[in-house]
Amino acid sequence: MLYYEISMKNTLCCFVALGLIVSTGALKAEQPADATAVNTTSPEGIVNVWPSEPPAWTSPTEAEKDTSDQNSRQVAGKYVTRIGNVSTPQLYVYQPKADVKSDTAIVICPGGGYSILAWDLEGTEIAEWLQEIGVTAVVLKYRVPTRSEDENWKPAVQDIQRAISLVRSGAVEGVSATRVGVLGFSAGGNASARAATASKRFYAPVDKHDQAKFVPDFAVLVYPAWLVEKDDSTRLIDDIQVSEKTPPMFFAHARDDRISCLGSVTLFTELQKHDINAAL
């Protein structure tokens, strides 16, 4: 766990050094008190991603809850908050605390195998660290589980694209950013990679905010999952298409991670072929 904490901090510090994080009609942010059924840290605001129902999907029948219990695996001596049954995607907004504020906002996508969200370990803890260095952080509570969907990644990518458009269009009260990036872990890294390489919006626009660009200005992928073919780790899945319009990316992936690092290596290699700024 010590290695994880050092690696995560160094990952973001390196990303700052690369220059991808630098210095500085809204939707009303709800007060956090009545926003969720699970315990979280205290963001400055919580905003629903969709004005009404999200795009069609098979929503859970059970209520949203923290699925961790006394039998769950601990990380660094504590239980991870694992949010399940998310049917109302939301943005948790963390404003910068540093004196010098960046002009960048980052949408954070926790992992969880498209089954749950590792909410604090890969979400709110990252947001709080970004706060301290002057970066606006927006933790995305995207829809899970999506096991019954033919395209299990699609609801998450729809939520990411909508979140990016909301932040970029100035729709989130108190957030004004000239650049909007995405930072994803594991399954959240898979969804973030898909969002960063998407050539189309995966839902029909619902309001004026969807006129804003839906592709992030950069992507940070931390042990992203399922980027390559199962039988050929040197070939990206067909859904991941790199072009001259693909934004810069930063990868962090341990060689012995149970999610093979070859997905990150292969996507990084493809970015290099297209002369797109990337670091691994």
Side-chain angles (χ1 to χ4, degrees):
M1 183 58 194
L2 178 60
Y3 175 78
Y4 171 84
E5 291 172 340
I6 292 173
S7 296
M8 188 62 238
K9 186 171 182 178
N10 287 346
T11 293
L12 293 176
C13 285
C14 289
F15 199 59
V16 174
L18 287 172
L20 297 178
I21 297 176
V22 295
S23 67
T24 195
L27 296 175
K28 180 69 175 177
E30 302 171 16
Q31 292 303 310
D34 60 354
T36 179
V38 301
N39 292 326
T40 69
T41 53
S42 299
E44 280 68 38
I46 300 175
V47 175
N48 287 343
V49 173
W50 304 96
S52 55
E53 292 297 315
W57 73 303
T58 306
S59 59
T61 56
E62 298 181 46
E64 179 182 312
K65 65 177 182 179
D66 180 0
T67 63
S68 295
D69 58 29
Q70 65 272 20
N71 297 317
S72 298
R73 181 175 65 91
Q74 296 187 32
V75 177
K78 72 171 188 175
Y79 295 108
V80 176
T81 299
R82 296 175 171 87
I83 301 180
N85 304 320
V86 177
S87 57
T88 303
Q90 294 174 316
L91 303 177
Y92 283 63
V93 183
Y94 289 76
Q95 298 284 1
K97 292 182 178 179
D99 292 336
V100 178
K101 295 183 180 180
S102 169
D103 63 349
T104 298
I106 298 181
V107 176
I108 302 170
C109 305
Y114 292 131
S115 294
I116 56 90
L117 302 178
W119 186 248
D120 48 0
L121 182 68
E122 298 173 345
T124 57
E125 291 179 8
I126 309 304
E128 290 170 341
W129 186 81
L130 287 169
Q131 274 187 312
E132 296 300 326
I133 64 170
V135 176
T136 301
V138 180
V139 187
L140 173 60
K141 186 196 287 184
Y142 58 86
R143 287 170 284 165
V144 289
T146 54
R147 294 184 296 266
S148 60
E149 302 296 310
D150 292 335
E151 299 171 308
N152 65 346
W153 51 268
K154 195 170 185 178
V157 174
Q158 290 171 332
D159 293 346
I160 292 172
Q161 290 181 324
R162 173 70 177 173
I164 291 170
S165 289
L166 287 176
V167 174
R168 184 172 278 130
S169 68
V172 180
E173 187 177 43
V175 177
S176 177
T178 59
R179 292 186 304 165
V180 182
V182 65
L183 192 167
F185 297 78
S186 193
N190 175 274
S192 297
R194 290 174 178 274
T197 57
S199 59
K200 67 176 182 179
R201 192 184 293 273
F202 286 100
Y203 64 92
V206 297
D207 56 26
K208 65 180 182 180
H209 301 302
D210 284 328
Q211 296 174 13
K213 179 182 169 187
F214 57 84
V215 177
D217 293 306
F218 59 86
V220 182
L221 306 181
V222 186
Y223 43 86
W226 316 307
L227 300 182
V228 292
E229 296 290 348
K230 290 183 179 179
D231 58 351
D232 186 356
S233 60
T234 66
R235 187 162 68 90
L236 293 172
I237 57 174
D238 291 340
D239 291 344
I240 303 291
Q241 298 286 338
V242 175
S243 73
E244 67 280 358
K245 296 181 180 180
T246 302
M249 296 189 190
F250 183 91
F251 300 83
H253 210 137
R255 181 185 60 81
D256 59 352
D257 196 281
R258 54 182 181 166
I259 294 173
S260 174
C261 65
L262 293 178
S264 291
V265 171
T266 300
L267 180 50
F268 170 80
T269 302
E270 193 65 22
L271 292 167
Q272 294 300 290
K273 290 178 182 178
H274 288 76
D275 198 29
I276 294 170
N277 190 16
L280 172 63

